[in-house]
Amino acid sequence: MADIKENLEKLASLQRKISAYAHATALLYFDGNTGAPSKTTENRAISSSILSEELYRLQTSDETFALLEELDAHRDELPESERRQVYLILKELRETRCIPMDEYIALQKLLIESDSVWHEAKERSDFAMFLPYLEKIFEAYKKVAGYAAPDKDPYDYWLSRYEDGLNRETCDKFFSRLREGIVPLLARVMEASGGRVKGMEGYYPVSAQEKLSDYLMDVLLLDRGHCGISTTEHPYTINFGSHLDVRITTNYHENDFIPSMFSVIHEGGHALYETNIDDAYTRTAIDSGVSMGIHESQSRFYENIIARSKGFTSFLFPKLREIFPEALKDATEEDFYLACNTVVPGLIRIDADELTYCLHIMVRYELEKRIMAGELKVSELPSEWNRLYKEYLGVDVPDDKHGVLQDSHWANGNIGYFPSYALGSAYGAQLLSVMKKELDVDACTASGRLEPVNAWLKEHIWRHGSLIAPGELLRRACGEEFNPDYYVNYLSEKYSSVYGLK
Amino acid sequence: MADIKENLEKLASLQRKISAYAHATALLYFDGNTGAPSKTTENRAISSSILSEELYRLQTSDETFALLEELDAHRDELPESERRQVYLILKELRETRCIPMDEYIALQKLLIESDSVWHEAKERSDFAMFLPYLEKIFEAYKKVAGYAAPDKDPYDYWLSRYEDGLNRETCDKFFSRLREGIVPLLARVMEASGGRVKGMEGYYPVSAQEKLSDYLMDVLLLDRGHCGISTTEHPYTINFGSHLDVRITTNYHENDFIPSMFSVIHEGGHALYETNIDDAYTRTAIDSGVSMGIHESQSRFYENIIARSKGFTSFLFPKLREIFPEALKDATEEDFYLACNTVVPGLIRIDADELTYCLHIMVRYELEKRIMAGELKVSELPSEWNRLYKEYLGVDVPDDKHGVLQDSHWANGNIGYFPSYALGSAYGAQLLSVMKKELDVDACTASGRLEPVNAWLKEHIWRHGSLIAPGELLRRACGEEFNPDYYVNYLSEKYSSVYGLK
């Protein structure tokens, strides 16, 4: 027992060090897209890569590996949280160590180059330029999966890296249920709307929008002492070393306040999850959200289920008129509700409405899966992409910039990542159905008093950090397995109501 | 020779690593006083101390020491820049290694506690609260000097830590020359002015002041691609890993634009020095300014000699009226010039005018010197402080908050640091006198075209980074030894002209 105690102290110390390096590299990244001068990118990249290398050395050292193996051998004697920490670190470590060092380094190099080539290729709408890099990435990812999990299908391996336990079977069922629910619903919505778009364009000064951001963070009950807000080109949430320092970002457009408003609420959902992790887990491997899917379930819960609801938009509207008296002087509550819930199939995923969003994800899932299975060549991606956009969304893709080159994910090696966006939306709807049995969620949204909703999510999701695997976490919270019907039903009710469908 | 080449590569790699850690800890500090949420201080302190510890281990390892000793043994075969790098790192390392580890750790701990106690003591104006910490700091600093340089006077040791080669003898001569020049001059200025204060109070919106900051940075010819500007409570300049990423900060007061204007120009001077270091020295021990004194000579050169001159204030005034049309509608160029050059002996060093500034420094020098020599007890500091302020500046100190507790330097262990502020001012005046033989400096300031001034300073000072020791650097630039007469003459001419003295 004395040995275990000593080893647990070493484990804690190891994790504190890891968190300090993670803090530094996260802060370098954040500085790079908040205030850094334009010609400092290379300088930052050098520091970041040196610190990452130092961390890699620490994490993969024989000493670290021996400590974790020793702790793992006694896993039944460990407290639950430490058992989980050992499991997570060791899993990562074993996978890293089974990749030959030269291939690991070559892959890191490939990803850095590929990101920069993708940027230029997107700018020029030139897929051919990006093709050789993307081919190499998919090849490398198949190979890495083979090293890490030789008995597993390569795509299943990558799916489960982002969402522990996820595989093609679950995804196939999920997406086919979704398609079968959404595609006919979308057709009825389009028929009812006649494709009309309701917007709220006007002049919304940044300083006023900043006030709105502060107000929204207060309504979400975010602890501003542990959560800051900054401006970046693409909004995101990041934590610095622990759940005790979280930053969200947004991007203001002076002709419309709605994009930033939903960014703040979406990132605010991520930040609620992070900042509410149990303090006992500070600076350990479980001191952050457990998976991409669960994380998106929280952000999309606040963005879509809460903030796009009839009740919440009614609650918010008087405040909006107070903040933007000029631009909104002729607008009505109903205009605002419709502007938040207008359905229009489009080309760009990140601009998609709640209803069509998952169709964008389905295209990506379909393509990734077929490439990883060797059923589709990387060179055939643009034409297949365009064909599927026509089939699922009914839109014609004019060029690769607005098509296959729009997302950075593949260029950065995030293969298997997209499905978790859709899963998160579906998790959220299932959580809502359980929450509604215990709380009057509609009353909370209509009054803007979100304490009970937050308390429920803190109890069932947030406080656990990464202690419990995503599937089990959802099962415990909902009392049943993941079931996409809740999401399809939610969408169907919501959009039948918005568009007055019978 | 093959061995040396290999060792030089190891030296370069060591310095790159050191710079990456320095980058991370500097960025953590910067984040802490720019955008960080209020309750994240402890989280940042943990990461910072872990990274500092990792760096300390790297720097003081036997392997590092052996490499440097080996290189030092062959110093005559090394290129000039590497010889200097080895000298600087080894000097630091030898001094650190000769302090017993437990004392070193105890001192670091003492400084952290003392900083926090000082903050509270200053707030409460309670010197007694701070006294035991300050006593321990002075004791520890005598002891460390004894370890590091047993043959040297302890205060001389600390003076030379901030300004290589500086000692009490030089300081005594310097300050007595200054006193003898400034004190009677000040009396005549006060007689002429009758103590009248010329200010420019009004309403100066932050957004307009930000435009002025950008304009001033352009006039200084700062490369904005490598130099950013942010807002902090106390202005400073910091570099991130190398001279290629420098940030200055300022603090805006809406009732007066002058404080921020001079902060931007002062910090801009520091940033010109840093950003113009030769790229060949990137991420080495010579990739920053060589000493506090030389650094202040640059910042105070731009702040005082350039920006408070008759020519520059005339050049700037039309732009100021353009930026602040309301507040300055009745102001004249002459008002502005006088507001920039009003002399008023006061209590607070950082608010002091150009003429009385050095008197504030003299008080601190006098007191430090006597404490280190055992001629004054730390407990006697407040009464001696107040006595000297009366003697040198003619002001009565109402309480310790506005007296001995005003500066953070001693609380942070920066004993021997103050004299370099005054030295810097004097270096600047001596550099000006040489520069004037080669350039029409007045024409540059009057036209706001500072290229020739910058080019001169880049050639003689900036590009060298820390390659050349401060005394030698000044000697080469000026063609003679440091001579405080230039500064006394400069002040005398300047303030005789401002106040129309005969």
Side-chain angles (χ1 to χ4, degrees), chain A residues 14 53-69 93 97:
Chain A
L14 171 72
E53 224 180 285
E54 294 276 294
L55 174 59
Y56 179 81
R57 194 164 308 154
L58 169 72
Q59 282 179 303
T60 57
S61 75
D62 292 338
E63 196 188 332
T64 298
F65 197 59
L67 169 68
L68 288 160
E69 290 275 21
L93 191 52
R97 281 172 66 110

Side-chain angles (χ1 to χ4, degrees), chain B residues 7 61 81 86 95 116 179 181 246 264 317 364 419 436 444 456 462 481 487 493:
Chain B
N7 282 338
S61 76
S81 60
V86 169
E95 290 178 8
S116 121
R179 193 165 45 223
V246 176
V264 170
F317 191 68
R364 289 152 179 81
K436 278 189 159 176
C444 295
W456 195 94
W462 302 341
E481 290 294 322
Y487 186 46
E493 275 172 37

